[in-house]
Amino acid sequence: MAANYLHGVETVRIDRAARAVQVVKSAVIALIGCAPVGAINAATLCLSESDAAQFGPLLAGFNIPDTLDAIYDQGAGTVIVINVLDPARHASVVASESAAFDPATGRLKTARPAISGLVVKSGATNYVVGTDYTVNQVTGEVVRKASGSIAAGATVQLSYSYADPAKVTPADLIGAIDAVTGAKSGMKLLPDTYQRFGFFPKVLVAPGYASLPAISAELTAWAEKLGGKALLDAPIGTRRDQAVAMRGPTVANSPFNTSSRAAVLCYPHVRVYDEASDGTRLQPLSARLAGVIAAKDLERGYWWSPSNTEIKGIVGLELDLSARIDDSQSDVNLLNSVGIVTVFNSFGSGFRAWGNRNANYPVETGLTTFISVTRTQDIIDESIRYFSLQHMDKPFNQMLVDTIVESINQFLRKLQGDGAVLGGECWYDPARQTEAELANGHAVFSYKFTPPPPFERGTYESVLTGEYLATIKGA
């Protein structure tokens, strides 16, 4: 209270009310890779398929449009996209390519998409863009203009450069910080996402690259820092027994040789429809699983396991896996038993994500091995840390202690009512505090909670008995 003189009346406001703890966003995916167009080495927010269009159409070799399509097939999700393909650096040149215009449509396509610097010529004649033809540089489609000098059905020679995903290296995806400008690239952009958007990604993917040991290790490290999950894939062509062996040291350079609770191991690749060939192509499971997790978070809550959820938009698997809910010798059960998330496909089930465990299983056992449980812990812990900002640097007294404790207890009671935890409690223990630490502005608050584990195994005891024969009565 102010010490100045007052002959009158005043009001002193005392704030003792508990403050709400806001839950951080969980359905946020970080996607690192290559796109034919779009911002380069910048964190770009995509909330819908409309936003995804800025990174171009589905084209072979570019994982960003492909993954965004896979994610939004599942329903919804917030995606932070980092495109590392720079056409100025990752380009190849086609010096001479022969192609013929379709006589009926007047169109042809370059052998490679995402082109620039196209030259169309016939013999010594160089045709003029806009006068003789038009070109879509993203798709590589060239259209003959009827008013131009290119004959219908003409065969021409093309030269151009094209954005080449094959030239993108692990170092490009991992990223760097420029020593002079401080500009960041690749995954080095991830820690700035909170400053830009107010949230960190909780699911990290780099489909098509996450099977490379350098990328899987870096994704996992970032997932640990950000309190998220890195979805890692086995390479294309991996057999079932090889996937299991990849969990150990006998397979060199394995992305599955990790015991991090922040890693989720995905196998096998899935088959999706390919419009370009009117057939199917392989796609990393991580692309679809990321969408499944985000959609499940929004529909049910982050404390629900993504397992036993139908995966939309796939038409098959890279290889057949036996799947029975009551067979411990089935392929999917074998994979789950070593901490690999897979796809369950049985009679009438459709294709379902199948597996509850992080990569720290089976080295560890218990609650800390479940994907849903550890995600719940990550989200609760982060939410409480961010809530604490409003109390930092206030005078430390009993009122502040009571406010913090009651705020967190209200938060835990709300989570219990939602079903995110079975129970929880926060407390301040004076015995834990020391005079030296309190004098240094440091206090310790404790809280505990129990997220519900998924119902992974059920046992029914079947008893065959004759006791009910006695219920048969004569006429």
Side-chain angles (χ1 to χ4, degrees), residues 16-28:
R16 290 180 177 167
R19 305 290 181 88
V21 179
Q22 300 293 330
V23 179
V24 297
K25 289 172 69 71
S26 64
V28 181

Side-chain angles (χ1 to χ4, degrees), residues 354-409:
W354 197 253
N356 292 299
R357 308 282 184 157
N358 305 308
N360 58 342
Y361 181 84
V363 174
E364 296 179 24
T365 57
L367 287 174
T368 59
T369 67
F370 287 113
I371 296 170
S372 57
V373 170
T374 50
R375 291 190 75 230
T376 300
Q377 182 182 24
D378 289 338
I379 290 163
I380 290 175
D381 290 347
E382 186 174 308
S383 299
I384 290 175
R385 289 197 301 271
Y386 291 157
F387 143 83
S388 301
L389 175 63
Q390 60 193 309
H391 297 298
M392 297 307 298
D393 303 324
K394 289 183 177 180
F396 185 76
N397 53 31
Q398 190 63 51
M399 183 189 305
L400 184 66
V401 169
D402 292 344
T403 299
I404 291 174
V405 169
E406 180 54 27
S407 296
I408 296 174
N409 278 325

